[in-house]
Amino acid sequence: MSEARREALLWVAQRASAAVLAVCVAVHLATMIYAVQGGLSAAEILGRTRGSVGWLAFYALFVVAAAVHAPLGLRAVLAEWFGWRGRACDAALAAFATIVAAAGLRAVVAVFV
Amino acid sequence: MSATLAVSVWRGGADGAFRDYEVPRHASQTVLDVVTWIQRERDPTLAYRFACRVGMCGSCAMTVNGAPRWTCRTHVDKVAPDGRLRIAPLANLPVIRDLVTDMRPFFDKWARARGRFEGRATRADDFARVPPDSEKRRAAEAGIECIGCGVCYAACDVVARLPEYLGPAALNRAWTLVNDVRDAAGLERLRAVAGAAGCHACHTHMSCTERCPKRLSPTAAIAGLKRAVAAAALRGEL
Ligand code: SF4
Ligand code: SF4
Ligand code: FES
């Protein structure tokens, strides 16, 4: 893949994930505030998330968007501040993305089952 | 208004230093007037550039009290209310001597961004008819009045961080050509402006737009390039 195409597609991925995150973060914050204000206990929260395919799908999407978005931002920081770019850098960032996705999805599954 | 201005001017090359001058103050005086007075009355060896003195040629840009400006149309009253001026060469470009920078890296990047019109019509063809209010013509119009002064380039932090970045002026120029329906370089130009040293390096922090003396918005042009490049990439053309 040409450098131009790769950068362009990564830019699309960054923008698309940002759009998803904008919605997800808003919903997430509103939900948290609601849960805390209403004085829901951990058990009550788990009672709502367990078996809820809706929450599973929402948070899975949230995690995937974060796993796409964060490494791309980090990529720009590494390139500009530390001059680190190229294959090794991209491989490290792919690993970072995988860890973020795995850790996040594990947590999502944990409140589902 | 004090009778004189306290002016510090950069002298020498990259390892030079500021030298102080006292310059008589006048109404409607421009920063270029101040520099010219120093060169005529105090030190004929002072090197600086200007040509038109009316904001057309783009050769007189310098760093004035920390910000890049076109000096021929910058009034002293506006930038130095306290009567102090610090005048340095433009940032992000190699200093040749005093207030003169080497503009080659700046213009080489216009070439790299394919900032040259590439026509496909021959003399046998009729005139191209471009409706003035068509979307493309309006997009080109928005950026066409660039005078190549380098102010935006000196204002851009990404240029400072990433010396190979094409920079706002070259990308603005490329965007006007992307919107020129007569131009034939299409995809080639999009390829030239894409990538980590091209439009994708821009952080949209708008220093270029804030500083451009012609009130252009290279930021908007670069955003347009990002969209055009993304569309081409998604179509599999890049
Ligand atoms: S908007 Fe882009 S080109 Fe303009 S100053 Fe910021 S980074 Fe540089
Ligand atoms: S875009 Fe504005 S600041 Fe930049 S070179 Fe052109 S006229 Fe000067
Ligand atoms: S001298 Fe020509 S733009 Fe200032």
Side-chain angles (χ1 to χ4, degrees):
Chain A
M1 189 188 297
S2 73
E3 200 249 6
R5 186 168 154 77
R6 185 180 64 234
E7 294 301 317
L9 293 179
L10 288 178
W11 180 79
V12 172
Q14 191 206 22
R15 287 302 149 112
S17 59
V20 172
L21 282 176
V23 177
C24 288
V25 169
V27 172
H28 176 65
L29 285 179
T31 310
M32 283 207 321
I33 290 168
Y34 168 77
V36 172
Q37 298 267 319
L40 287 182
S41 68
E44 284 168 323
I45 292 173
L46 277 178
R48 284 168 170 75
T49 59
R50 283 218 173 103
S52 162
V53 178
W55 283 122
L56 177 79
F58 172 76
Y59 276 106
L61 179 69
F62 194 166
V63 165
V64 170
V68 170
H69 195 77
L72 287 173
L74 202 56
R75 187 171 180 263
V77 174
L78 290 175
E80 274 175 41
W81 291 25
F82 305 105
W84 196 33
R85 45 176 77 86
R87 239 163 224 251
C89 178
D90 286 346
L93 286 166
F96 175 61
T98 312
I99 292 169
V100 171
L105 290 175
R106 193 170 152 248
V108 172
V109 171
V111 296
F112 178 72
V113 292
Chain B
M1 195 168 92
S2 56
T4 57
L5 295 163
V7 186
S8 302
V9 178
W10 185 261
R11 301 304 308 266
D15 54 354
F18 283 97
R19 199 179 296 168
D20 295 335
Y21 302 90
E22 203 174 299
V23 179
R25 190 163 189 176
H26 301 293
S28 305
Q29 192 175 18
T30 65
V31 175
L32 185 65
D33 291 336
V34 170
V35 174
T36 301
W37 188 90
I38 295 171
Q39 200 248 13
R40 294 209 181 139
E41 306 294 333
R42 286 292 174 269
D43 188 350
T45 66
L46 174 63
Y48 67 108
R49 278 198 198 102
F50 75 98
C52 71
R53 297 181 299 141
V54 291
M56 287 175 69
C57 71
S59 64
C60 65
M62 301 168 199
T63 309
V64 182
N65 285 353
R69 294 183 182 277
W70 54 356
T71 56
C72 70
R73 298 203 58 187
T74 299
H75 280 100
V76 170
D77 294 345
K78 231 180 158 186
V79 290
D82 62 348
R84 296 184 167 277
L85 274 176
R86 199 172 171 83
I87 308 175
L90 271 188
N92 296 342
L93 289 163
V95 180
I96 297 176
R97 183 161 72 83
D98 302 343
L99 301 171
V100 176
T101 54
D102 182 352
M103 300 288 285
R104 271 179 299 184
F106 176 71
F107 286 112
D108 284 349
K109 288 177 181 178
W110 285 48
R112 251 175 57 205
R114 299 192 74 129
R116 199 180 66 185
F117 175 71
E118 295 182 39
R120 69 183 139 218
T122 68
R123 53 170 44 188
D125 292 309
D126 193 6
F127 288 115
R129 286 184 172 75
V130 184
D133 53 357
S134 62
E135 197 188 320
K136 286 204 142 200
R137 176 59 214 175
R138 284 218 300 265
E141 186 84 19
I144 207 71
E145 292 294 341
C146 172
I147 56 173
C149 63
V151 162
C152 54
Y153 188 82
C156 176
D157 287 340
V158 175
V159 174
R161 283 258 182 220
L162 199 74
E164 63 271 30
Y165 174 42
L166 291 171
L171 292 171
N172 176 72
R173 171 67 184 153
W175 179 238
T176 62
L177 291 167
V178 166
N179 285 291
D180 189 329
V181 292
R182 305 162 307 159
D183 186 273
L187 276 178
E188 285 306 306
R189 186 172 295 105
L190 289 184
R191 259 180 223 124
V193 300
C199 61
H200 294 107
C202 169
H203 285 314
T204 320
H205 59 26
M206 301 190 78
S207 309
C208 54
T209 301
E210 179 172 331
R211 289 281 162 226
C212 172
K214 298 291 289 180
R215 305 229 171 109
L216 309 185
S217 178
T219 315
I222 295 167
L225 285 176
K226 285 177 180 167
R227 285 193 301 273
V229 166
L234 289 174
R235 284 195 302 265
E237 293 172 353
L238 270 194

